[in-house]
Amino acid sequence: MRRRWITALVALGLLLAGCSSDHDGSGGRITLRFQSLAWQEESVAANKELVEEWNATHPAVQVAYVQGSWDSVHDQLLTSFEGGEAPDVIHDASDDLADFAYGGSLADLRELLPARLMSDIPQRSWRTATFGDGIYGVPFLQEPRVLIANATWLKESGVRIPTPERPWTWDEFRRIAGQLSGKGKYGVAWPLKEPVSATLNLSLSTGGQMFHRGADGKVTVRFDAADALVPRTVHDEVNTDGSASGSTLGMGGSDTLPGFFGGKYAMVPLGFSYRQQIAQQAPKGFEWQVLPAPAGADGLAQGVSPQTLSVAADSPHKKEAAEFIDFLLRPKNMVRLALGDWMLPTGTEALKDPALHTAMDDWATGTALAAHLRSAPAQSVRGYPEWKDKVATPAFQEYYSGAIGLAELRKRLVEDGNLVLARYQR
Amino acid sequence: MKTPKRARAGQYVALLAYLVFLAFPFLWLISTAFKPPRELASLHPTWIPRNPTLANFRQAFDEQPLLHAALNSLLAALGAALIAVLIATPMAYVMARRRTLLARAATGWVVVSQAFPFVLVIIPLFLVLKHLRLINSVPGLIMVYVVWALPFALWMLVGYVRAVPVELEEAAAVDGAGRARTLVSVTAPLLAPGIVATALFAFITAWNEFFFALVLLKTPQKQTLPVVLTHFIGAEGVADLGPLAAAAFLATLPSLVVFAVIQRRITGGMLTGAVKS
């Protein structure tokens, strides 16, 4: 009996010891791990094809495609960095990089990237992945927030259709949303489940900054007239004009689509990539179009947090990882990735590609907005995630629903917000 | 005492409401799994898909290694359930039969340990497993699941052991049975429903677990179903709803099958554990 138990325990020990590891036992051949967050069918296919093409032409440096998930990437990377097990090439978004960059988990890419790639991507895009003095990611895909509109409804109403050359002003947008409303229908549906990034990014068009860096390098929150214009427009459309549905304030973008297709809302402000879902799900005969977001004192300026490719600081093959990134982001390849994700490439050469200037699915409208995209205001602010979760999100939610007024919103964002930020800047 | 008719009717209504509450998400999941994209975004959704399709299942299987992930989940869950029960049963027996200060302290610790959040232990655990070369391996994950399931399994089994009258064991001893014989022939059969219920708890906990699997498994060949399911979700929570529902429906089936097969045993086990003699 005892012997049987000992045998069982030894077998269990052997089972546990029989684990695998990542060591590449292929004499001299390097294997890079590329963790991609591509998730749409076309996007996954494009990424995998590019990896296969690289592997076919680089026998000495092979790339293993690892599927990651947007839903959990931060926690997963955090643990991987702590344990020294991070992938060599990391796909993420620029607004998720700050802590990893400042924490020394990501490699500074300035010395690793070729001049071609550095000059192809505009400075305004590089700023989104610049933390301190270093560049910690290559911004490669981005999307403006646009108005997806019911084309038939707009045409029948006779309102002026905005273009990137002649967009609506915020006042005009509010007036037209009112014009389109009535009989239980709304001119606009704001899906503001995540109200902070949407508000801050759209507020760039009115000159809103919210975060101001002083001469000492410390950041403080201010809420000036320029910061208030966009939130006040949304608040008034919902609570004063009745031109925006209050029930969509807590929804994500996808949740508003049934109402949009069902003729309840004339317009929905959404990310440019939502066109993929709309093209797939719209009822037969439903005509939709992409309109630029309203413009303010700073024109069509808008904050974005592009998707990025980074290299882990602990990677023993940083040079090869950077070469693979350079391959992925050659203009033709960047276009393939952009088309797969229904987004815009950051690269100047890629943006010239005819495929991005077609009227089909309104690619041309989005491409015309690319030059107006800037680094999201909160990108490099340490403590922003806590400020967003604990202060700004509840404050904006209450303001948009009409529970508090503008003065209370300002008080919370500034007073409570600065207390939070101060803790990160001692 | 007979229950009045009105009270009985009330009980049935409450039970029906509870069943509807439990069944609704699952039935909706099945409905969604068979709907084409245009029906998913309809303002007037229907229970029965108007144009049922298997395209979501096809897409789910084409895009993600679901079968492989299911096999990994099954290995991890079965391994965890089996080992947890093997370790917990003798421990529970000792804790239930020897009511010493140490046993009481151990029970207290078991309850307290349930309050530890995952995030608190994940990085130290990751480093330990890395040192043991058990990162990115199903055995490593099994080890974690066993450790995680053990306190609750122990707590459950202590209740079941206490429900087995000690007089039965004493009677067997009087009849000449040794300690081992008594445990195997008298106690074990009476404990069986409890052991099955505990194993099922450990299985389902491991089958559904996401966070540890996400952090500890790095390569696609090792990932479990809950991790693979997140690959249908994009930035800002946008989801490829049809394939996600199809994959999620398939992911719930094993738990349902296991439940259906051993439902009677588990009911007996739960009732046994719930009552102290």
Side-chain angles (χ1 to χ4, degrees), chain A residues 209-281:
Chain A
Q209 274 294 336
M210 194 89 76
F211 297 98
H212 299 269
R213 199 174 290 275
D216 57 356
K218 290 188 175 176
V219 175
T220 51
V221 182
R222 288 210 311 261
F223 190 72
D224 304 327
D227 298 298
L229 202 148
V230 172
R232 203 178 55 229
T233 301
V234 177
H235 171 275
D236 290 353
E237 283 178 335
V238 174
N239 298 286
T240 311
D241 309 346
S243 58
S245 166
S247 62
T248 64
L249 290 175
M251 289 184 183
S254 305
D255 305 328
T256 59
L257 294 183
F260 177 61
F261 296 143
K264 277 182 76 175
Y265 325 120
M267 298 178 284
V268 188
L270 292 169
F272 192 53
S273 64
Y274 270 88
R275 293 168 308 131
Q276 189 267 344
Q277 281 197 40
I278 290 164
Q280 190 186 49
Q281 297 177 358

Side-chain angles (χ1 to χ4, degrees), chain A residues 253-333:
Chain A
S254 305
D255 305 328
T256 59
L257 294 183
F260 177 61
F261 296 143
K264 277 182 76 175
Y265 325 120
M267 298 178 284
V268 188
L270 292 169
F272 192 53
S273 64
Y274 270 88
R275 293 168 308 131
Q276 189 267 344
Q277 281 197 40
I278 290 164
Q280 190 186 49
Q281 297 177 358
K284 282 194 175 75
F286 183 89
E287 286 188 34
W288 56 275
Q289 68 185 119
V290 174
L291 312 175
D298 280 12
L300 286 165
Q302 203 181 118
V304 286
S305 300
Q307 292 186 22
T308 53
L309 291 170
S310 305
V311 176
D314 285 346
S315 171
H317 310 297
K318 292 188 193 66
K319 184 173 143 290
E320 291 81 0
E323 282 168 5
F324 173 65
I325 289 175
D326 178 44
F327 165 82
L328 271 185
L329 302 185
R330 285 175 191 170
K332 285 282 176 209
N333 295 344

Side-chain angles (χ1 to χ4, degrees), chain B:
Chain B
M1 200 177 105
K2 274 185 76 175
T3 314
K5 274 187 183 172
R6 201 174 294 180
R8 174 64 55 91
Q11 284 174 347
Y12 279 119
V13 168
L15 184 64
L16 190 69
Y18 185 59
L19 282 176
V20 168
F21 174 75
L22 286 181
F24 177 82
F26 184 64
L27 293 175
W28 194 249
L29 181 76
I30 297 171
S31 170
T32 304
F34 289 96
K35 281 179 180 172
R38 289 189 206 289
E39 281 188 48
L40 290 174
S42 168
L43 189 59
H44 306 289
T46 53
W47 273 103
I48 310 293
R50 285 187 288 266
N51 302 292
T53 176
L54 291 173
N56 292 327
F57 290 89
R58 268 195 299 274
Q59 192 183 331
F61 277 101
D62 285 347
E63 278 182 37
Q64 301 297 339
L66 289 179
L67 280 178
H68 201 84
L71 186 67
N72 290 335
S73 283
L74 195 66
L75 278 174
L78 279 176
L82 195 69
I83 297 168
V85 162
L86 279 176
I87 296 172
T89 306
M91 281 174 76
Y93 185 83
V94 172
M95 282 168 72
R97 290 286 185 253
R98 307 248 188 283
R99 302 205 179 188
T100 59
L101 188 65
L102 185 66
R104 271 202 290 271
T107 309
W109 173 245
V110 161
V111 175
V112 168
S113 71
Q114 289 295 294
F116 292 161
F118 282 18
V119 174
L120 191 75
V121 298
I122 190 68
I123 288 174
L125 192 67
F126 188 89
L127 293 172
V128 169
L129 287 172
K130 190 188 170 201
H131 189 70
L132 295 171
R133 296 257 179 120
L134 284 170
I135 292 291
N136 199 35
S137 71
V138 175
L141 193 66
I142 289 174
M143 219 165 97
V144 173
Y145 286 170
V146 168
V147 170
W148 205 253
L150 208 51
F152 196 74
L154 202 56
W155 193 52
M156 270 175 90
L157 279 167
V158 165
Y160 293 125
V161 174
R162 282 187 186 151
V164 176
V166 74
E167 292 81 1
L168 289 175
E169 292 175 13
E170 288 166 354
V174 168
D175 289 342
R179 168 61 88 188
R181 179 69 193 273
T182 304
L183 286 176
V184 171
S185 304
V186 178
T187 316
L190 292 169
L191 264 184
I195 290 171
V196 170
T198 307
L200 191 64
F201 153 79
F203 176 90
I204 287 170
T205 304
W207 178 266
N208 292 330
E209 201 284 324
F210 167 72
F211 191 56
F212 287 136
L214 168 80
V215 168
L216 299 176
L217 305 173
K218 300 198 304 286
T219 55
Q221 296 80 7
K222 298 281 163 52
Q223 287 175 333
T224 56
L225 259 181
V227 176
V228 169
L229 286 182
T230 64
H231 298 165
F232 293 104
I233 300 170
E236 293 185 23
V238 180
D240 207 349
L241 205 55
L244 175 62
F249 168 56
L250 294 173
T252 55
L253 284 181
S255 298
L256 288 177
V257 169
V258 170
F259 253 115
V261 169
I262 55 175
Q263 192 192 11
R264 269 190 209 162
R265 303 221 77 170
I266 191 177
T267 309
M270 285 190 163
L271 290 173
T272 309
V275 182
K276 257 177 76 175
S277 65

